[in-house]
Short mmCIF file of all heavy atoms in Angstrom, two decimals:
data_model
loop_
_atom_site.label_atom_id
_atom_site.label_comp_id
_atom_site.label_asym_id
_atom_site.label_seq_id
_atom_site.Cartn_x
_atom_site.Cartn_y
_atom_site.Cartn_z
N SER A 1 99.48 108.50 96.40
CA SER A 1 100.22 108.46 97.65
C SER A 1 101.33 107.41 97.68
O SER A 1 102.21 107.45 98.55
CB SER A 1 99.27 108.24 98.83
OG SER A 1 98.54 107.04 98.65
N VAL A 2 101.29 106.43 96.75
CA VAL A 2 102.25 105.33 96.80
C VAL A 2 103.12 105.31 95.55
O VAL A 2 104.05 104.51 95.48
CB VAL A 2 101.59 103.97 96.98
CG1 VAL A 2 100.67 104.00 98.27
CG2 VAL A 2 100.83 103.54 95.78
N LYS A 3 102.85 106.15 94.57
CA LYS A 3 103.61 106.17 93.31
C LYS A 3 105.11 106.38 93.60
O LYS A 3 105.47 107.25 94.39
CB LYS A 3 103.12 107.25 92.37
CG LYS A 3 101.86 106.90 91.61
CD LYS A 3 101.41 108.01 90.70
CE LYS A 3 100.13 107.65 89.97
NZ LYS A 3 99.67 108.74 89.12
N GLY A 4 105.92 105.56 92.97
CA GLY A 4 107.35 105.67 93.15
C GLY A 4 107.92 104.91 94.37
O GLY A 4 109.09 104.74 94.52
N ARG A 5 106.99 104.40 95.22
CA ARG A 5 107.40 103.67 96.39
C ARG A 5 106.93 102.21 96.34
O ARG A 5 107.62 101.31 96.84
CB ARG A 5 106.88 104.32 97.67
CG ARG A 5 107.35 105.76 97.86
CD ARG A 5 106.95 106.28 99.24
NE ARG A 5 105.47 106.32 99.41
CZ ARG A 5 104.86 105.74 100.39
NH1 ARG A 5 105.50 105.04 101.32
NH2 ARG A 5 103.48 105.82 100.48
N PHE A 6 105.74 102.01 95.84
CA PHE A 6 105.16 100.67 95.80
C PHE A 6 105.15 100.12 94.33
O PHE A 6 105.00 100.89 93.41
CB PHE A 6 103.69 100.71 96.29
CG PHE A 6 103.50 100.98 97.77
CD1 PHE A 6 104.57 101.40 98.56
CD2 PHE A 6 102.26 100.82 98.32
CE1 PHE A 6 104.36 101.65 99.91
CE2 PHE A 6 102.07 101.06 99.66
CZ PHE A 6 103.10 101.52 100.45
N THR A 7 105.32 98.79 94.25
CA THR A 7 105.24 98.20 92.95
C THR A 7 104.37 96.92 92.99
O THR A 7 104.57 96.05 93.83
CB THR A 7 106.68 97.74 92.48
OG1 THR A 7 107.50 98.92 92.46
CG2 THR A 7 106.61 97.10 91.10
N ILE A 8 103.39 96.86 92.12
CA ILE A 8 102.49 95.69 92.04
C ILE A 8 102.98 94.82 90.88
O ILE A 8 103.46 95.34 89.85
CB ILE A 8 101.03 96.12 91.80
CG1 ILE A 8 100.07 94.91 91.94
CG2 ILE A 8 100.85 96.82 90.48
CD1 ILE A 8 98.59 95.31 91.95
N SER A 9 102.94 93.50 91.08
CA SER A 9 103.38 92.60 90.02
C SER A 9 102.68 91.27 90.18
O SER A 9 102.08 90.97 91.22
CB SER A 9 104.88 92.44 90.10
OG SER A 9 105.27 91.82 91.30
N ILE A 10 102.78 90.49 89.14
CA ILE A 10 102.19 89.12 89.10
C ILE A 10 103.24 88.16 88.58
O ILE A 10 103.94 88.45 87.61
CB ILE A 10 100.96 89.11 88.21
CG1 ILE A 10 99.74 89.78 88.94
CG2 ILE A 10 100.57 87.66 87.85
CD1 ILE A 10 98.51 89.85 88.12
N ASN A 11 103.35 87.04 89.26
CA ASN A 11 104.16 85.94 88.81
C ASN A 11 103.21 84.82 88.39
O ASN A 11 102.64 84.13 89.24
CB ASN A 11 105.13 85.46 89.92
CG ASN A 11 106.07 84.41 89.42
OD1 ASN A 11 105.74 83.48 88.71
ND2 ASN A 11 107.34 84.56 89.84
N ILE A 12 103.06 84.60 87.09
CA ILE A 12 102.12 83.58 86.59
C ILE A 12 102.54 82.19 87.03
O ILE A 12 101.69 81.39 87.46
CB ILE A 12 102.06 83.65 85.04
CG1 ILE A 12 101.54 85.00 84.62
CG2 ILE A 12 101.21 82.52 84.50
CD1 ILE A 12 100.09 85.22 84.97
N ALA A 13 103.82 81.91 86.98
CA ALA A 13 104.29 80.57 87.31
C ALA A 13 104.03 80.23 88.77
O ALA A 13 103.73 79.07 89.12
CB ALA A 13 105.82 80.47 87.09
N LYS A 14 104.06 81.21 89.66
CA LYS A 14 103.76 80.98 91.09
C LYS A 14 102.35 81.29 91.43
O LYS A 14 101.91 81.17 92.60
CB LYS A 14 104.72 81.81 91.95
CG LYS A 14 106.14 81.41 91.82
CD LYS A 14 107.05 82.18 92.81
CE LYS A 14 108.46 81.73 92.74
NZ LYS A 14 109.38 82.41 93.71
N ASN A 15 101.55 81.73 90.43
CA ASN A 15 100.12 82.09 90.63
C ASN A 15 100.00 83.04 91.81
O ASN A 15 99.15 82.83 92.72
CB ASN A 15 99.28 80.83 90.91
CG ASN A 15 97.82 81.04 90.49
OD1 ASN A 15 97.55 81.49 89.42
ND2 ASN A 15 96.93 80.68 91.40
N THR A 16 100.82 84.07 91.85
CA THR A 16 100.89 84.96 92.98
C THR A 16 100.92 86.42 92.53
O THR A 16 101.64 86.74 91.55
CB THR A 16 102.08 84.66 93.90
OG1 THR A 16 102.02 83.31 94.31
CG2 THR A 16 102.15 85.55 95.08
N MET A 17 100.21 87.29 93.24
CA MET A 17 100.36 88.72 93.06
C MET A 17 101.13 89.25 94.23
O MET A 17 100.98 88.82 95.39
CB MET A 17 98.98 89.39 93.00
CG MET A 17 99.04 90.90 92.84
SD MET A 17 97.43 91.71 92.72
CE MET A 17 96.80 91.41 94.41
N TYR A 18 101.97 90.24 93.93
CA TYR A 18 102.81 90.87 94.97
C TYR A 18 102.56 92.41 95.05
O TYR A 18 102.15 92.99 94.09
CB TYR A 18 104.28 90.64 94.67
CG TYR A 18 104.68 89.22 94.60
CD1 TYR A 18 104.84 88.58 93.34
CD2 TYR A 18 104.93 88.46 95.75
CE1 TYR A 18 105.21 87.28 93.23
CE2 TYR A 18 105.32 87.14 95.62
CZ TYR A 18 105.49 86.55 94.40
OH TYR A 18 105.85 85.22 94.28
N LEU A 19 102.93 92.92 96.24
CA LEU A 19 102.98 94.35 96.42
C LEU A 19 104.29 94.60 97.13
O LEU A 19 104.38 94.30 98.33
CB LEU A 19 101.81 94.94 97.16
CG LEU A 19 101.79 96.46 97.30
CD1 LEU A 19 101.58 97.10 95.94
CD2 LEU A 19 100.75 96.95 98.28
N GLN A 20 105.27 95.13 96.40
CA GLN A 20 106.56 95.51 97.03
C GLN A 20 106.42 96.92 97.52
O GLN A 20 106.08 97.82 96.73
CB GLN A 20 107.68 95.40 96.01
CG GLN A 20 109.06 95.87 96.55
CD GLN A 20 109.55 94.93 97.63
OE1 GLN A 20 109.47 93.69 97.49
NE2 GLN A 20 110.09 95.50 98.71
N MET A 21 106.59 97.12 98.81
CA MET A 21 106.44 98.43 99.45
C MET A 21 107.78 98.89 100.02
O MET A 21 108.32 98.25 100.90
CB MET A 21 105.41 98.34 100.57
CG MET A 21 104.05 97.72 100.10
SD MET A 21 102.79 97.79 101.37
CE MET A 21 103.49 96.63 102.51
N ASN A 22 108.27 99.95 99.45
CA ASN A 22 109.55 100.55 99.88
C ASN A 22 109.31 101.92 100.49
O ASN A 22 108.22 102.56 100.31
CB ASN A 22 110.52 100.65 98.72
CG ASN A 22 110.86 99.33 98.09
OD1 ASN A 22 110.92 98.31 98.79
ND2 ASN A 22 111.09 99.32 96.79
N SER A 23 110.28 102.43 101.22
CA SER A 23 110.21 103.75 101.85
C SER A 23 108.89 103.92 102.61
O SER A 23 108.21 104.95 102.50
CB SER A 23 110.30 104.85 100.78
OG SER A 23 111.55 104.73 100.07
N LEU A 24 108.56 102.91 103.42
CA LEU A 24 107.29 102.97 104.14
C LEU A 24 107.30 104.08 105.16
O LEU A 24 108.32 104.40 105.77
CB LEU A 24 107.07 101.60 104.81
CG LEU A 24 106.57 100.49 103.87
CD1 LEU A 24 106.77 99.12 104.44
CD2 LEU A 24 105.12 100.71 103.53
N GLN A 25 106.11 104.66 105.37
CA GLN A 25 105.92 105.74 106.25
C GLN A 25 104.78 105.41 107.22
O GLN A 25 103.94 104.55 106.92
CB GLN A 25 105.62 107.02 105.48
CG GLN A 25 106.70 107.47 104.51
CD GLN A 25 108.01 107.74 105.20
OE1 GLN A 25 108.09 108.30 106.35
NE2 GLN A 25 109.08 107.21 104.61
N PRO A 26 104.70 106.09 108.37
CA PRO A 26 103.68 105.82 109.33
C PRO A 26 102.25 105.89 108.71
O PRO A 26 101.34 105.15 109.07
CB PRO A 26 103.85 106.86 110.42
CG PRO A 26 105.31 107.09 110.36
CD PRO A 26 105.71 107.00 108.90
N GLU A 27 102.09 106.78 107.77
CA GLU A 27 100.74 106.92 107.13
C GLU A 27 100.36 105.72 106.26
O GLU A 27 99.28 105.64 105.75
CB GLU A 27 100.68 108.21 106.31
CG GLU A 27 101.75 108.42 105.32
CD GLU A 27 102.90 109.24 105.86
OE1 GLU A 27 103.15 109.15 107.09
OE2 GLU A 27 103.53 109.98 105.08
N ASP A 28 101.30 104.80 105.98
CA ASP A 28 101.01 103.58 105.28
C ASP A 28 100.43 102.53 106.15
O ASP A 28 100.04 101.46 105.68
CB ASP A 28 102.31 103.04 104.61
CG ASP A 28 102.83 104.00 103.55
OD1 ASP A 28 102.07 104.51 102.71
OD2 ASP A 28 104.06 104.20 103.50
N THR A 29 100.42 102.77 107.47
CA THR A 29 99.86 101.79 108.41
C THR A 29 98.39 101.56 108.10
O THR A 29 97.59 102.50 108.03
CB THR A 29 100.00 102.31 109.84
OG1 THR A 29 101.43 102.40 110.13
CG2 THR A 29 99.33 101.40 110.82
N ALA A 30 98.03 100.29 107.94
CA ALA A 30 96.64 99.95 107.57
C ALA A 30 96.57 98.41 107.46
O ALA A 30 97.59 97.69 107.49
CB ALA A 30 96.23 100.56 106.23
N VAL A 31 95.32 97.92 107.34
CA VAL A 31 95.12 96.55 106.92
C VAL A 31 95.07 96.54 105.38
O VAL A 31 94.28 97.32 104.82
CB VAL A 31 93.83 95.96 107.52
CG1 VAL A 31 93.60 94.52 107.07
CG2 VAL A 31 93.86 96.01 109.09
N TYR A 32 95.87 95.71 104.81
CA TYR A 32 95.95 95.64 103.34
C TYR A 32 95.15 94.40 102.86
O TYR A 32 95.33 93.31 103.38
CB TYR A 32 97.38 95.56 102.91
CG TYR A 32 98.10 96.86 102.99
CD1 TYR A 32 98.38 97.46 104.20
CD2 TYR A 32 98.46 97.59 101.83
CE1 TYR A 32 99.02 98.71 104.29
CE2 TYR A 32 99.05 98.82 101.83
CZ TYR A 32 99.34 99.36 103.15
OH TYR A 32 99.98 100.57 103.21
N TYR A 33 94.30 94.63 101.91
CA TYR A 33 93.49 93.60 101.35
C TYR A 33 93.81 93.33 99.87
O TYR A 33 93.96 94.24 99.08
CB TYR A 33 91.99 93.94 101.46
CG TYR A 33 91.46 94.12 102.87
CD1 TYR A 33 91.55 95.33 103.52
CD2 TYR A 33 90.96 93.03 103.55
CE1 TYR A 33 91.10 95.47 104.80
CE2 TYR A 33 90.51 93.15 104.85
CZ TYR A 33 90.58 94.39 105.48
OH TYR A 33 90.11 94.54 106.79
N CYS A 34 93.75 92.03 99.54
CA CYS A 34 93.89 91.66 98.13
C CYS A 34 92.50 91.54 97.55
O CYS A 34 91.56 91.11 98.22
CB CYS A 34 94.57 90.26 98.11
SG CYS A 34 94.61 89.47 96.48
N ASN A 35 92.33 91.99 96.30
CA ASN A 35 91.07 91.93 95.62
C ASN A 35 91.22 91.32 94.25
O ASN A 35 92.23 91.53 93.56
CB ASN A 35 90.49 93.35 95.46
CG ASN A 35 89.29 93.42 94.55
OD1 ASN A 35 89.37 93.72 93.37
ND2 ASN A 35 88.12 93.11 95.11
N ALA A 36 90.19 90.55 93.84
CA ALA A 36 90.20 89.96 92.51
C ALA A 36 88.80 90.16 91.92
O ALA A 36 87.78 89.86 92.57
CB ALA A 36 90.50 88.46 92.60
N GLU A 37 88.74 90.70 90.71
CA GLU A 37 87.49 90.86 90.00
C GLU A 37 87.37 89.65 88.99
O GLU A 37 88.07 89.65 87.96
CB GLU A 37 87.51 92.23 89.22
CG GLU A 37 87.56 93.41 90.15
CD GLU A 37 86.38 93.50 91.11
OE1 GLU A 37 85.25 93.18 90.69
OE2 GLU A 37 86.58 93.90 92.26
N HIS A 38 86.52 88.72 89.33
CA HIS A 38 86.40 87.48 88.56
C HIS A 38 84.99 86.98 88.78
O HIS A 38 84.70 86.29 89.73
CB HIS A 38 87.42 86.43 89.02
CG HIS A 38 87.43 85.18 88.27
ND1 HIS A 38 87.91 85.10 86.93
CD2 HIS A 38 87.05 83.94 88.58
CE1 HIS A 38 87.81 83.85 86.54
NE2 HIS A 38 87.30 83.11 87.49
N TYR A 39 84.08 87.36 87.81
CA TYR A 39 82.66 87.01 87.99
C TYR A 39 82.19 87.51 89.35
O TYR A 39 81.44 86.81 90.04
CB TYR A 39 82.42 85.49 87.84
CG TYR A 39 82.88 84.94 86.50
CD1 TYR A 39 84.08 84.28 86.37
CD2 TYR A 39 82.09 85.18 85.38
CE1 TYR A 39 84.45 83.82 85.15
CE2 TYR A 39 82.53 84.75 84.11
CZ TYR A 39 83.72 84.01 84.03
OH TYR A 39 84.12 83.54 82.82
N GLY A 40 82.55 88.71 89.70
CA GLY A 40 82.25 89.28 90.99
C GLY A 40 83.49 89.76 91.67
O GLY A 40 84.59 89.51 91.20
N SER A 41 83.30 90.42 92.81
CA SER A 41 84.42 90.95 93.52
C SER A 41 84.75 90.08 94.71
O SER A 41 83.84 89.73 95.52
CB SER A 41 84.07 92.39 94.02
OG SER A 41 85.16 93.04 94.61
#
């Protein structure tokens, strides 16, 4: 549902993960959560 519109990336120097969301639509409305799998979720 997000292919071609959203881009996930990581900046190691800033220790940050991003989600660039373009061409947003009403169906994208939600609470967005970050997840990390590191000795557990």
Side-chain angles (χ1 to χ4, degrees):
S1 58
V2 307
K3 281 181 181 177
R5 300 188 299 123
F6 291 10
T7 303
I8 189 171
S9 63
I10 286 177
N11 186 318
I12 297 293
K14 294 187 177 181
N15 206 51
T16 302
M17 177 179 68
Y18 301 100
L19 184 69
Q20 178 66 44
M21 305 185 293
N22 298 328
S23 301
L24 283 161
Q25 300 300 319
E27 52 265 33
D28 296 315
T29 295
V31 178
Y32 284 69
Y33 296 91
C34 173
N35 170 262
E37 298 298 324
H38 183 72
Y39 301 102
S41 188

